[in-house]
Amino acid sequence: MDLRESEKLEVLPTTSRTPSPVSDQISTDLNKETDTLTPPDGGRGWLIVFGSFCGLFAIFGYNYSWGVFLRYYNESVYVGEMSKLSWIGSICVALFFILGPINQIVIRAMGYKYMLATGTVLCTAALICASFAYETWHLFLSQGVLFGFGASFVWFPCIGAPQQWFSKHRGLAMGLAMSGSGIGGLVVSNICQAAISNIGYRWALRIVGIMCFVLIGIATVLVRPLGTIRQTGGREGTIIAWYLFKNPRFTIMFIHGLITTFGYMTPFFLLPSHAKALNLDPWIGTNLSAIMSAVNAGARICTGFMGDHLGRFNSLFLCTFLAGVMCLAVWVNAANEATIWVFAVLYGFFGGGYIALFPTVQPQVVGLENIAPAVGLLYFTNLFGYMFGTPIASAIINKFDPPDYRYGAVWAGIMVVVGALFAGWLRVTQAGFKLVRV
């Protein structure tokens, strides 16, 4: 199947009429908006990719550095309030996707430029306000709710735009754009740690706030949709695009995303504490998340490129399935430093492949004409998995005395493998059981 086949829009038929200069002009304008939309696969598209990279670098750089602040808060500022503090990060990342069901409505009302400008203001204000906080509820409202809500205005334009500008090289483009989140996690967490150690946590928050202002500002200038909202915004007059569920492949993909996210983030959050439970060198626990973020970033580029050449549906299934297998085969048996590192690298690679490839198949499932509402609904599923997946794993682990991380690994592995089976089903609906590039 031609990768562009399902991404072209139908030219709307015109009715016969008596020609006039005014009606000819109106018809010309309408035809420009409803003509076939074909991704240019380059040119300005690479600026879109760079702008998206900057936006994702900013919001996920802060998100992945939350662990640095959490540890410092618990040890030095809000001692003994870990149960309250731990919810801030979960609420924040869950709110990244809160606009999902009404994404197309927000895009119609604001456009990418003003969405990103709103995100610039809200994310910056959130961290600056947090730097003046004196109570945990101040942090909940600023670092949790306000930053998460602001990041939602950044996430959807930065994840939606590169899909529209590329077809043949979509995997590579999405991998490059989404590598910003992994690289951001590696860079910002180290900046935060250095700033906290030298000038205090309040200035660390302000520095990250300034970084967000600059980086999301760059995204605001560069990131634009391909064509008009009439060409990519789905059906007009609908608040939530329920009609997409009439497409069986979209429904399968929705379930795939919903289930997989319940297990995906668990290793990132729990592996450092597992290393501590094994009495490994404290350096290992401190740097595991950073190393996984770095591997994850590189994997997104490599697997995106792989998807362009081996087939995106094939690659999505393989990466998701192998990420789950790594939990069940390697993490479950991790009892020493070597095994922990092997798992961190392998899971970081295949997990990065899942993240990079999930958006690359979306235009082939729904077409570019429905990409805005589809992206919104598909990523809204992340809210539930990211908010509840790791707490469920933690509850399972802590049912045992001492805590047994093997059962957390089993939970994560089962969730990701079951999600992979739906990715496999999606691949079969696309091309059957034939061994072809799809």
Side-chain angles (χ1 to χ4, degrees):
M1 177 180 290
D2 190 339
L3 294 181
R4 297 174 185 258
E5 181 179 337
S6 60
E7 301 163 17
K8 294 185 178 181
L9 305 183
E10 298 292 337
V11 178
L12 298 183
T14 56
T15 56
S16 60
R17 51 172 172 66
T18 303
S20 71
V22 175
S23 61
D24 283 345
Q25 181 61 45
I26 294 173
S27 177
T28 299
D29 292 341
L30 287 174
N31 285 336
K32 285 180 181 178
E33 290 196 351
T34 58
D35 199 2
T36 300
L37 186 65
T38 303
D41 258 324
R44 185 183 175 186
W46 294 115
L47 290 177
I48 307 298
V49 169
F50 177 69
S52 299
F53 173 94
C54 290
L56 296 175
F57 183 107
I59 61 174
F60 280 97
Y62 161 72
N63 178 62
Y64 285 128
S65 70
W66 164 245
V68 177
F69 288 106
L70 177 62
R71 184 170 59 251
Y72 185 80
Y73 288 156
N74 186 55
E75 293 176 353
S76 306
V77 185
Y78 305 101
V79 180
E81 298 189 54
M82 186 66 176
S83 59
K84 295 179 182 178
L85 293 169
S86 61
W87 276 99
I88 296 173
S90 295
I91 292 293
C92 179
V93 71
L95 288 177
F96 277 29
F97 314 104
I98 194 66
L99 293 180
I102 57 170
N103 183 45
Q104 78 277 18
I105 302 297
V106 178
I107 292 174
R108 287 181 186 278
M110 301 178 69
Y112 281 1
K113 180 170 71 173
Y114 292 107
M115 287 179 71
L116 286 161
T118 301
T120 303
V121 173
L122 293 180
C123 290
T124 304
L127 296 177
I128 299 300
C129 289
S131 72
F132 294 99
Y134 286 94
E135 301 286 345
T136 54
W137 67 268
H138 297 166
L139 298 179
F140 185 90
L141 292 178
S142 55
Q143 284 186 267
V145 175
L146 186 58
F147 190 94
F149 184 63
S152 192
F153 287 91
V154 180
W155 166 257
F156 285 105
C158 289
I159 199 67
Q163 299 181 44
Q164 300 170 25
W165 284 82
F166 291 86
S167 178
K168 181 180 178 182
H169 302 297
R170 183 180 294 130
L172 177 61
M174 288 304 306
L176 288 168
M178 297 193 73
S179 68
S181 58
I183 296 173
L186 179 64
V187 173
V188 178
S189 60
N190 282 282
I191 290 175
C192 290
Q193 186 62 63
I196 290 172
S197 300
N198 290 279
I199 55 178
Y201 78 94
R202 296 187 186 277
W203 272 106
L205 287 165
R206 292 164 192 158
I207 290 170
V208 179
I210 294 168
M211 290 177 63
C212 286
F213 181 83
V214 173
L215 290 167
I216 305 175
I218 293 172
T220 303
V221 173
L222 295 179
V223 176
R224 295 291 183 273
L226 177 66
T228 67
I229 188 59
R230 291 186 62 182
Q231 293 175 298
T232 58
R235 297 179 186 175
E236 293 188 43
T238 57
I239 298 176
I240 299 177
W242 298 114
Y243 66 88
L244 289 172
F245 288 97
K246 295 180 181 179
N247 178 348
R249 291 189 299 157
F250 176 83
T251 303
I252 295 169
M253 193 171 186
F254 183 89
I255 298 171
H256 161 64
L258 176 63
I259 294 175
T260 305
T261 52
F262 271 86
Y264 172 73
M265 287 302 296
T266 299
F268 287 93
F269 288 152
L270 297 184
L271 202 58
S273 58
H274 188 190
K276 183 177 180 180
L278 293 174
N279 296 315
L280 301 181
D281 190 313
W283 182 91
I284 297 172
T286 302
N287 289 277
L288 267 173
S289 293
I291 297 300
M292 288 181 74
S293 294
V295 173
N296 202 270
R300 294 178 188 191
I301 300 172
C302 295
T303 55
F305 181 80
M306 178 180 76
D308 289 336
H309 291 80
L310 298 182
R312 294 163 194 151
F313 290 90
N314 295 334
S315 300
L316 175 64
F317 166 70
L318 285 173
C319 285
T320 310
F321 182 75
L322 289 174
V325 169
M326 291 305 110
C327 292
L328 297 173
V330 182
W331 191 15
V332 166
N333 296 301
N336 52 52
E337 179 179 342
T339 318
I340 287 286
W341 281 117
V342 168
F343 172 73
V345 171
L346 291 176
Y347 186 82
F349 184 86
F350 292 117
Y354 156 70
I355 291 293
L357 292 162
F358 184 64
T360 66
V361 301
Q362 293 166 13
Q364 291 172 250
V365 172
V366 300
L368 284 177
E369 67 271 26
N370 292 305
I371 196 63
V375 166
L377 286 173
L378 288 170
Y379 281 106
F380 183 65
T381 61
N382 290 9
L383 187 153
F384 306 102
Y386 286 170
M387 184 178 292
F388 300 113
T390 300
I392 291 172
S394 297
I396 294 171
I397 290 168
N398 290 317
K399 276 186 171 292
F400 301 89
D401 188 19
D404 194 334
Y405 284 85
R406 292 179 300 172
Y407 294 96
V410 169
W411 160 263
I414 289 175
M415 290 296 101
V416 176
V417 166
V418 171
L421 296 179
F422 281 91
W425 186 7
L426 180 65
R427 189 266 179 216
V428 170
T429 62
Q430 185 76 6
F433 290 95
K434 298 177 182 178
L435 296 177
V436 295
R437 172 178 171 265
V438 62

